[in-house]
Amino acid sequence: MSKVRRNSVQQTPSELQRALSNCQSAFRSVAIFSLIINLLMLASPLYMLQVYDRVLTTGHVDTSIC
């Protein structure tokens, strides 16, 4: 069997690919920050659902007023 020669010409990355690779760490930081913020935004409604669930089932409205 004969060996197939591959073209040894290397493609240089485009300007957009270089810009994206340079900003990759910033994209990761933004994604992590966004995840944390979204989890914090979800915490408040979940807490209120728990409070309302416990107040409405027991009927003790005076415990919900701070």
Side-chain angles (χ1 to χ4, degrees):
M1 289 190 191
S2 66
K3 292 182 179 180
V4 177
R5 288 187 178 181
R6 293 188 178 193
N7 193 356
S8 64
V9 176
Q10 294 180 352
Q11 294 181 352
T12 59
S14 70
E15 188 174 342
L16 179 61
Q17 289 172 336
R18 285 183 300 198
L20 289 175
S21 66
N22 287 339
C23 296
Q24 193 171 13
S25 64
F27 287 143
R28 281 191 196 128
S29 299
V30 168
I32 291 170
F33 183 72
S34 175
L35 177 69
I36 292 170
I37 292 297
N38 284 318
L39 287 175
L40 287 174
M41 292 294 289
L42 186 62
S44 178
L46 289 176
Y47 174 75
M48 293 305 293
L49 284 172
Q50 289 292 319
V51 168
Y52 287 145
D53 182 47
R54 292 179 183 169
V55 168
L56 293 177
T57 56
T58 61
H60 297 137
V61 179
D62 53 341
T63 58
S64 66
I65 301 172
C66 295

